[in-house]
Amino acid sequence: MSDAVRTILKPTRSKRTAFYIACDAAVVAVASLLTYMVAIRQGPSVPVRFVSFVLPCASLGLASQVVLSFLLSSYRPRWSTFSMADVPRSVTPAALTAVLLGSISGFGWFETLTPWSALTWGLLDICGVVVLRGSRRFYSEVIGPRTGKRAILVACSDKAYFLLDTMRRIPRLNYRFIGFVDPDPRNRGTVSQGMRVLGGFNDIDRIVTRHRVQAAFVFLSVDPTHPTGPVYERLRALGVEVRLVPSFADVVENRTDTEVLERLALHELTGRPPVTVDPTEMERVFGHKRIMITGAGGSIGSELCRQLARFDPKLLVLFERDDSNLFAIEKELLASDSAIRLLPVLGDVAREDVVDRVFERTRPQVVFHAAAYKHVPILEFHPEEAARVNVLGSHALARAAVKHGVESLVYISTDKAVNPTNVMGASKRLGEMVVTSMNGLSDVKFVAVRFGNVLASRGSVSTIFSEAIARRQPVNVTHPDMQRYFMLTSEAVLLVMQAAALGKGGEVFVLDMGRPVRILDLARAMIRHAGLQPDADIPIMISGRRPGEKLFEELLTAEEGTVATLNRRIRQARISKQHSYPELMDGLRRLAAAVRTQDPEMVRLELIEQVATFQPDPGSTDGRPTASGRAQRLAEKVVRSGRGDGAPAVQRSRGPGTGLMARAGKDSAAGGRTAGGQGPRPRSERPSDEEGRG
């Protein structure tokens, strides 16, 4: 095609307007002629009546329709993208013109025109306008040549059906779409966008074989009840080309495309069945309640806000110390439901006076305590902050709940609280002990829920991998044998809410995390799902275990077992020892005094003494943190300042036999016990999940 022809055919606004006027002229002429032939023709003077009716009617009709089309902007919709939404704008001029003709029927040149014949003219004109405006799309989508690979669309929600309309308009997308796959049995056999739903997820093999499928577009959904991982793997095994399409929620909520990799890799590696909860029970427990979420801007807290907002709470109190996160979650919730009742509160859970004022003002009935410091390597070098927020902050919140008559408080715990080897785990375990020991002191139901790593939380391993893959940078794995439990944030939150509904008070619930996942396997799966090859396109580097990290985590101690609950994905830990709140109070006072000194070693010793299963990692005290949280060993002696009371600075060698670990060792050697009063305990080698709180 020559440049001159391309220039002529290139669409412009003036060319589009001229084209539409020409189409209207043809439609009006045909409508006038057909109206005369069907409704007007009568008697011996047919030629006279034809000349006296058709030409005046067509002339007046065209003039009126063109003028009204300019006034109503009916010539602006593009021909190639004409849709149902453009129909009212396009046909209004024709309808108004028919009304005009009907109002002047019986006068002058329109003596033979009646209101019924004007109605006939209007219907014919409207049909002609719609047919011509939609002719291009009808040809390209229905009767045009069908070439390219035979493709199916795997839809996980009703919203996915509408994406087909967009995909059909992409010229370079050389696929011939033949049908949908939908997990909802109610949609089987139905037709949408001109294509039939061929079956569900269990029919993949039959559909691929029968229809000779060469490619599949998988529309990913954030709904955990429709896991697409097994479908993806089955399609790949059948030799089908698989293309991933983000869900509408991903696009609207501006989520990164790399989150798709996390969800898909999790379903592939765990094979865990989808989470199901009883919405009626959720409505009964949380509907029309005043609910407070601490850490509302974090990964778990923000998802709790989203899920709880579905059940029409009387008030959602968003308690958060990060003003940016607080602003973001408030804005998101109001955008999704402008009528929702929110109260954003900027504050620190460790400040008891602030917590008390918030409870006094809002009178919450249900509290979800998700606020916590979570990053293991960083907290190894700041145990005073871990104790202040994770232990003393939880205690302050629980005391306020008792004082102000809260119905229930749900404490978000972690697998790292079991046989902890790091400060974060020890602080969460002590917080768990404090909260559950307060059950029975009042009518408040205190419940703790343990689970592991959640995907897409800030700083989680999956997010770090996603960012590296997006930048085509090496993926760092700390140890080739390291394993963790993983769960989608939405799944974890649904189960936390279900556990809160099941709790009678004093329980420690453990979520079913499926089977553990090797971190190295997760990295490889995420790279593959990005369309790249591990070690070839994206190298995987072994960076070394960080301070406080285990190779395996645990959900239960050696003494604990579990008992079943009404939900098969939630187990109740069988706690062998019930902690006494008055006894714990003595330890909390000592811990608070240690936190006030800002002496990390003193705080660490208090955690060792109060959490009997805490066995610190020696590497945690032999270095200093870097920006990534990695310990960096020092060749020289480190000078540590005194406690601010005028005492001289103390030089402490980082070599073995000095400092905290040496003192803990002396205590153990002297009495055959650790500082906590217990001898060394064998640590279970069962795999466990990793914490991922926000």
Side-chain angles (χ1 to χ4, degrees), residues 303-319:
E303 186 64 21
L304 274 167
C305 294
R306 297 182 193 102
Q307 297 290 350
L308 289 166
R310 298 163 48 196
F311 301 107
D312 191 26
K314 183 180 292 185
L315 176 67
L316 269 184
V317 182
L318 315 180
F319 196 105

Side-chain angles (χ1 to χ4, degrees), residues 89-220:
R89 182 192 297 267
S90 301
V91 303
T92 300
L96 293 177
T97 298
V99 172
L100 173 64
L101 291 177
S103 64
I104 62 174
S105 60
F107 296 96
W109 281 354
F110 304 98
E111 180 182 356
T112 57
L113 184 66
T114 65
W116 288 109
S117 57
L119 176 62
T120 302
W121 184 94
L123 292 176
L124 291 171
D125 191 23
I126 289 173
C127 290
V129 169
V130 173
V131 167
L132 282 181
R133 297 287 178 92
S135 58
R136 180 170 177 178
R137 282 196 58 197
F138 181 79
Y139 174 79
S140 62
E141 297 179 14
V142 179
I143 65 175
R146 298 186 179 186
T147 60
K149 297 179 181 179
R150 298 173 62 84
I152 58 173
L153 299 103
V154 182
C156 298
S157 70
D158 290 339
K159 300 180 182 65
Y161 286 90
F162 298 101
L163 284 175
L164 174 62
D165 182 48
T166 301
M167 297 173 68
R168 279 171 165 167
R169 303 187 194 189
I170 303 175
R172 296 184 180 88
L173 201 61
N174 191 25
Y175 293 93
R176 178 183 177 183
F177 299 107
I178 59 175
F180 288 99
V181 175
D182 193 315
D184 191 339
R186 295 172 298 181
N187 294 333
R188 183 169 301 188
T190 59
V191 176
S192 180
Q193 304 285 311
M195 293 200 324
R196 191 165 61 91
V197 176
L198 304 174
F201 285 176
N202 295 330
D203 304 313
I204 288 291
D205 291 41
R206 175 184 61 80
I207 293 171
V208 170
T209 303
R210 181 176 179 181
H211 296 278
R212 305 187 306 281
V213 175
Q214 298 169 286
F217 288 81
V218 180
F219 294 95
L220 294 167

Side-chain angles (χ1 to χ4, degrees), residues 145-436:
R146 298 186 179 186
T147 60
K149 297 179 181 179
R150 298 173 62 84
I152 58 173
L153 299 103
V154 182
C156 298
S157 70
D158 290 339
K159 300 180 182 65
Y161 286 90
F162 298 101
L163 284 175
L164 174 62
D165 182 48
T166 301
M167 297 173 68
R168 279 171 165 167
R169 303 187 194 189
I170 303 175
R172 296 184 180 88
L173 201 61
N174 191 25
Y175 293 93
R176 178 183 177 183
F177 299 107
I178 59 175
F180 288 99
V181 175
D182 193 315
D184 191 339
R186 295 172 298 181
N187 294 333
R188 183 169 301 188
T190 59
V191 176
S192 180
Q193 304 285 311
M195 293 200 324
R196 191 165 61 91
V197 176
L198 304 174
F201 285 176
N202 295 330
D203 304 313
I204 288 291
D205 291 41
R206 175 184 61 80
I207 293 171
V208 170
T209 303
R210 181 176 179 181
H211 296 278
R212 305 187 306 281
V213 175
Q214 298 169 286
F217 288 81
V218 180
F219 294 95
L220 294 167
S221 171
V222 294
D223 186 354
T225 60
H226 294 319
T228 51
V231 177
Y232 177 91
E233 289 303 307
R234 188 59 196 148
L235 288 168
R236 284 175 61 95
L238 292 170
V240 175
E241 174 192 334
V242 183
R243 304 287 294 273
L244 305 178
V245 182
S247 69
F248 260 40
D250 288 330
V251 176
V252 172
E253 296 175 14
N254 197 27
R255 301 183 182 180
T256 60
D257 291 341
T258 50
E259 289 185 36
V260 172
L261 307 182
E262 299 172 342
R263 296 200 300 272
L264 195 59
L266 176 67
H267 286 308
E268 173 192 344
L269 296 173
T270 62
R272 191 170 54 243
V275 169
T276 56
V277 296
D278 184 356
T280 304
E281 179 68 7
M282 296 294 99
E283 178 72 28
R284 182 188 67 80
V285 175
F286 302 114
H288 308 290
K289 294 284 184 72
R290 296 185 301 276
I291 303 174
M292 174 187 287
I293 301 100
T294 69
S299 303
I300 294 296
S302 60
E303 186 64 21
L304 274 167
C305 294
R306 297 182 193 102
Q307 297 290 350
L308 289 166
R310 298 163 48 196
F311 301 107
D312 191 26
K314 183 180 292 185
L315 176 67
L316 269 184
V317 182
L318 315 180
F319 196 105
E320 172 62 55
R321 64 172 297 171
D322 187 312
D323 60 335
S324 297
N325 287 347
L326 183 62
F327 174 80
I329 186 60
E330 180 195 18
K331 182 180 178 182
E332 177 186 337
L333 294 174
L334 289 175
S336 61
D337 182 4
S338 59
I340 190 172
R341 293 167 291 277
L342 300 176
L343 179 62
V345 177
L346 186 66
D348 188 344
V349 294
R351 291 189 55 185
E352 193 163 359
D353 57 333
V354 173
V355 172
D356 189 68
R357 284 199 301 270
V358 174
F359 272 76
E360 178 69 31
R361 178 185 177 187
T362 61
R363 295 288 177 178
Q365 296 166 278
V366 180
V367 177
F368 287 90
H369 181 33
Y373 280 142
K374 67 175 185 177
H375 292 291
V376 170
I378 294 296
L379 294 183
E380 285 302 283
F381 302 96
H382 299 283
E384 67 282 1
E385 285 300 302
R388 185 182 70 83
V389 174
N390 295 357
V391 182
L392 302 180
S394 300
H395 184 219
L397 197 75
R399 283 165 57 90
V402 171
K403 178 180 178 181
H404 296 283
V406 171
E407 293 178 8
S408 61
L409 185 147
V410 182
Y411 177 83
I412 307 298
S413 189
T414 168
D415 60 337
K416 288 182 174 58
V418 179
N419 294 327
T421 60
N422 51 65
V423 167
M424 194 282 282
S427 64
K428 292 294 288 183
R429 174 57 180 157
L430 185 53
E432 181 184 289
M433 292 161 53
V434 170
V435 169
T436 54

